Amino acid sequence: MNITSTNRFDAETSDQVIGYICKTYNYSKFHFDKLNRIVNENSVNKLAKAIQEGNAKVQPIQVDSHFNIVDGQHRFAALKKLRLPIVYYVDRLSYGMDAAVQNSEQRHWKLTDYIESYKRSGNKNYAKLQKLMDEYKGIVSMSTIIAIAGGYKDTSGFVSKAVKQGKFVFVNEQTSDFLDYSVAVRKKVGATRGILRQSFSLSLYQIWSHKGIDKKRLFNILTPEFYRTLPAGASAISQAIIDKYNYRLHEKIQYVLKNGVFHFS
């Protein structure tokens, strides 16, 4: 009986067989999927120690029909390190982006893992995003960079979901210019021990990118004391910044609050 056939049906259950479980010491037949996370050596060592001490229950790793590891690359590396057999499950329906998509709801995958995964798959949008995140790490939050680069108005769950599903598109070519501006602002307001507040960064971008704004004047009004006393919430922050910006200005920047949300007129 051909157990590898995807068209065979079990005689008793009439369920289609789409995979099977095997065990081997042939480590060379397996391949790390470039769409999966980069293997963390510290995690591998911790897992190997737990396995050696009998404190870890190791589930079969999942591979596709080409023996690309879809799920379980850290388990594979730990077992290989200990020279133990690899128990694996061949899922013949796994292909393409499964490594990233299957893990879209698993807690151990961080947002940075998805970005790295899609970048390594050749997605230029994610490669540009990763470059900015590396360059401006510690200046503004990762969510802020994603929101601004992707043209989103906020950092809602929809944004992270789009990133996880591989749907992020880098649409804002002004992002690096604004982040350079943010570097100078961060230093001026004395926030050098941490990143700029996320609500402040989003408000600042909204104002910085407005066509009627004098960026030098905007920079000058952002003092350490003003930054420390800003209210909470992006709209309240935007209003406070523009009110100070407009002080003694002949042609004032006009804005409205619609249901408490800041908008330029």
Side-chain angles (χ1 to χ4, degrees):
M1 190 157 46
N2 182 12
I3 195 169
T4 65
S5 173
T6 60
N7 297 317
R8 185 183 71 82
F9 285 82
D10 187 274
E12 295 183 0
T13 65
S14 296
D15 290 339
Q16 188 177 12
V17 176
I18 59 173
Y20 52 93
I21 295 177
C22 297
K23 182 171 73 172
T24 184
Y25 282 93
N26 184 4
Y27 308 113
S28 62
K29 70 193 299 181
F30 299 95
H31 314 287
F32 287 127
D33 192 327
K34 66 180 181 180
L35 301 178
N36 215 325
R37 292 186 302 167
I38 295 175
V39 173
N40 184 297
E41 193 62 31
N42 288 333
S43 297
V44 171
N45 290 336
K46 289 179 181 178
L47 181 56
K49 182 179 179 181
I51 293 172
Q52 205 167 28
E53 295 174 350
N55 296 324
K57 184 178 181 181
V58 183
Q59 299 293 331
I61 69 170
Q62 181 183 348
V63 300
D64 63 18
S65 56
H66 300 291
F67 284 89
N68 294 307
I69 300 175
V70 177
D71 183 53
Q73 56 182 7
H74 285 85
R75 277 170 276 155
F76 170 82
L79 291 169
K80 180 181 178 181
K81 189 181 187 74
L82 297 172
R83 309 305 296 174
L84 293 174
I86 304 296
V87 178
Y88 63 95
Y89 164 66
V90 179
D91 182 355
R92 295 185 175 275
L93 298 184
S94 293
Y95 62 95
M97 300 300 292
D98 277 5
V101 175
Q102 282 195 17
N103 288 283
S104 63
E105 296 183 359
Q106 292 189 26
R107 293 180 181 178
H108 62 279
W109 267 60
K110 300 177 182 177
L111 207 57
T112 50
D113 292 323
Y114 294 99
I115 294 170
E116 176 66 26
S117 174
Y118 287 115
K119 184 196 79 172
R120 286 190 285 131
S121 75
N123 190 311
K124 294 181 180 180
N125 291 292
Y126 284 80
K128 290 174 68 175
L129 179 60
Q130 181 70 69
K131 183 179 179 181
L132 282 183
M133 288 170 52
D134 290 341
E135 187 174 350
Y136 296 97
K137 184 178 180 181
I139 304 300
V140 299
S141 71
M142 175 178 64
S143 297
T144 298
I145 295 176
I146 294 172
I148 293 173
Y152 300 103
K153 293 183 179 180
D154 55 39
T155 57
S156 64
F158 172 79
V159 177
S160 61
K161 184 176 181 181
V163 171
K164 291 178 180 180
Q165 293 179 343
K167 297 179 180 179
F168 172 82
V169 179
F170 198 113
V171 298
N172 189 352
E173 297 301 331
Q174 288 187 314
T175 305
S176 59
D177 290 337
F178 172 70
L179 292 174
D180 284 337
Y181 189 83
S182 297
V183 171
V185 168
R186 177 173 174 265
K187 183 178 181 180
K188 187 171 187 288
V189 300
T192 54
R193 292 187 178 182
I195 63 173
L196 289 169
R197 289 163 52 187
Q198 183 166 286
S199 54
F200 171 78
S201 295
L202 293 174
S203 294
L204 182 62
Y205 174 72
Q206 182 185 21
I207 295 169
W208 176 89
S209 60
H210 185 64
K211 62 181 180 180
I213 290 293
D214 180 335
K215 294 179 175 59
K216 184 176 181 180
R217 179 181 177 85
L218 175 62
F219 182 80
N220 288 337
I221 68 170
L222 298 173
T223 63
E225 182 181 0
F226 179 64
Y227 178 76
R228 287 195 302 269
T229 58
L230 281 171
S235 289
I237 291 173
S238 296
Q239 183 179 6
I241 293 175
I242 290 299
D243 285 346
K244 185 170 183 181
Y245 180 94
N246 281 338
Y247 182 66
R248 292 183 177 179
L249 192 65
H250 180 65
E251 294 185 8
K252 301 184 185 301
I253 301 296
Q254 301 299 314
Y255 68 88
V256 295
L257 293 175
K258 296 180 180 179
N259 297 320
V261 180
F262 179 94
H263 297 278
F264 285 110
S265 299

